[in-house]
Amino acid sequence: MKKLLDQVENIVDDALDGLVWAFPQYLQRVPGTHVLARVEPKGAGKVGIVSGGGSGHEPAHGGYVGYGMLDAAVAGEVFTSPTPDQILEGIRAANHGAGVLLVVKNYTGDVMNFEIAQDLAAEEGIQTQTVVVNDDVAVEDSLYTTGRRGIAGTIFVHKIAGALAESGASLESVRDGAEQVIHNVRSMGFALTPCTVPAAMQPSFTLTDDEMEMGIGIHGEPGTHRQKVKPARELADEILHQIASDLALKPGEDIACIINGMGATPLVELAVFAKDVAQWFHQVQVNPKFVMMGEYMTSLDMAGASLSVLRLTGDITQWLLAACDTPAWRQGVRHDQ
């Protein structure tokens, strides 16, 4: 295995320093921590948003720190939850006096460590609320979770919660907006090749040349089953049937979707998959009003993709289309400039 590294034990520190150097207009590192915070903090009296998790999912989570999204992102070691003390540093960095919302993906270590950090923040008088994202339709329980896993649909939660917080909404309103997204988003992914954790320097699982893994998570864990490699149109049909059934999508409904590469999928292949996704939506008369294609929450060097579908209901569309300015998601015109 070949990796672009200096010392494997320093990969997170080195990567965080590199991100800050590459995006100095967005990111600063809280000294002595694995926390990336906004260079331009929100004004006083606005709700802060903190997310995070293991490294190896870039651009998540530091790539979403900035105007209209996260105030701070906390990085754990590769595929490992950040520790409570690091999360507390993120909460402190995001606190502007109106409370802090914690966006947590449903993995046992993440949920436990964020809960501990929430208790520590309360001892310091910082009010927090937590939402837990569980958008994966493939796996109900696993070695990593009780209930469904949180995967790339989390990016929609960052966006809507971040827009609400930027507007000056209360902590309860920001939490309710995030919960509305969680209720209306579903995701599923597949792998054509496994990923290789740098410390292990061997694949997390094995596939033969004609096999693929369906229902994978984002930590290199196997999915629900293996099957022969299928054309993109058949994969789109298989995944969308499962997502649409779970979400109870009906003809005429408006949706947003993220077509997400897992780290080593060429954009030309993602584009073929996107074409097949579009055709499926057309056939079932569902209306994609907002589409993103690219790498948004990866799994190191895994080849494969995931699809996230968000039902656009209530005020979700308004906040989805609101301006944001981060390293990984930029749109619209900032109203503070």
Side-chain angles (χ1 to χ4, degrees):
M1 289 292 173
K2 300 174 183 178
K3 295 287 184 184
L4 187 61
L5 301 172
D6 291 321
Q7 295 175 295
V8 67
E9 62 270 22
N10 293 339
I11 184 172
V12 176
D13 273 320
D14 291 346
L16 292 174
D17 285 344
L19 287 167
V20 170
W21 181 83
F23 300 104
Q25 69 273 43
Y26 297 105
L27 304 176
Q28 61 179 327
R29 188 169 176 181
V30 176
T33 76
H34 284 177
V35 177
L36 295 178
R38 284 174 59 161
V39 167
E40 299 179 10
K42 284 195 186 95
K46 289 188 176 182
V47 171
I49 311 286
V50 174
S51 190
S55 298
H57 307 305
E58 289 72 20
H61 298 80
Y64 303 108
V65 171
Y67 177 85
M69 293 191 77
L70 304 180
D71 293 80
V74 191
E77 295 299 322
V78 173
F79 293 173
T80 303
S81 171
T83 57
D85 61 312
Q86 294 284 321
I87 299 167
L88 178 61
E89 292 286 355
I91 294 171
R92 289 169 175 161
N95 180 35
H96 310 298
V100 177
L101 180 73
L102 309 180
V103 180
V104 186
K105 297 183 301 303
N106 189 33
Y107 295 93
T108 301
D110 289 42
V111 171
M112 178 180 67
N113 288 346
F114 271 84
E115 285 179 349
I116 294 171
Q118 189 172 23
D119 291 340
L120 294 173
E123 293 176 4
E124 297 185 5
I126 304 174
Q127 183 183 9
T128 60
Q129 294 279 352
T130 297
V131 296
V132 178
V133 187
N134 56 354
D135 55 312
D136 180 22
V137 301
V139 174
E140 183 66 31
D141 294 293
S142 72
L143 294 175
Y144 294 79
T145 64
T146 299
R148 293 182 169 185
R149 304 174 294 199
I151 53 176
T154 308
I155 307 305
F156 281 136
V157 182
H158 293 166
K159 178 64 183 70
I160 278 73
L164 280 161
E166 204 74 60
S167 76
S170 68
L171 179 58
E172 290 71 22
S173 295
V174 175
R175 178 204 61 203
D176 291 348
E179 291 285 10
Q180 185 182 2
V181 177
I182 292 168
H183 181 71
N184 284 285
V185 67
R186 301 290 187 277
S187 304
M188 184 173 170
F190 62 88
L192 301 173
T193 68
C195 63
T196 302
V197 176
M201 292 303 281
Q202 61 184 13
S204 53
F205 55 89
T206 58
L207 293 169
T208 61
D209 289 345
D210 63 346
E211 279 186 322
M212 61 183 300
E213 187 90 23
M214 296 299 293
I216 49 93
I218 57 171
H219 299 95
E221 68 268 43
T224 56
H225 65 280
R226 293 181 184 179
Q227 61 187 34
K228 298 297 182 182
V229 176
K230 294 181 177 181
R233 72 177 66 87
E234 293 182 26
L235 289 173
D237 182 75
E238 183 174 350
I239 289 173
L240 282 163
H241 267 110
Q242 193 155 338
I243 288 175
S245 175
D246 199 278
L247 199 51
L249 278 181
K250 298 178 178 61
E253 287 196 293
D254 295 338
I255 59 97
C257 71
I258 293 177
I259 297 159
N260 173 61
M262 298 304 296
T265 305
L267 280 175
V268 66
E269 295 178 25
L270 275 186
V272 171
F273 185 58
K275 177 266 299 181
D276 294 319
V277 168
Q279 290 181 349
W280 193 93
F281 284 138
H282 178 73
Q283 290 169 2
V284 300
Q285 300 176 48
V286 170
N287 308 313
K289 297 294 187 181
F290 184 93
V291 178
M292 295 174 64
M293 184 191 79
E295 292 187 339
Y296 300 101
M297 185 173 286
T298 61
S299 186
L300 290 171
D301 56 347
M302 179 180 285
S306 68
L307 179 65
S308 299
V309 177
L310 171 65
R311 175 188 282 112
L312 297 177
T313 182
D315 294 331
I316 286 179
T317 302
Q318 172 188 348
W319 303 116
L320 180 61
L321 297 178
C324 65
D325 190 15
T326 74
W329 189 342
R330 305 170 195 172
Q331 72 180 28
V333 178
R334 293 174 54 166
H335 60 71
D336 66 336
Q337 293 182 339

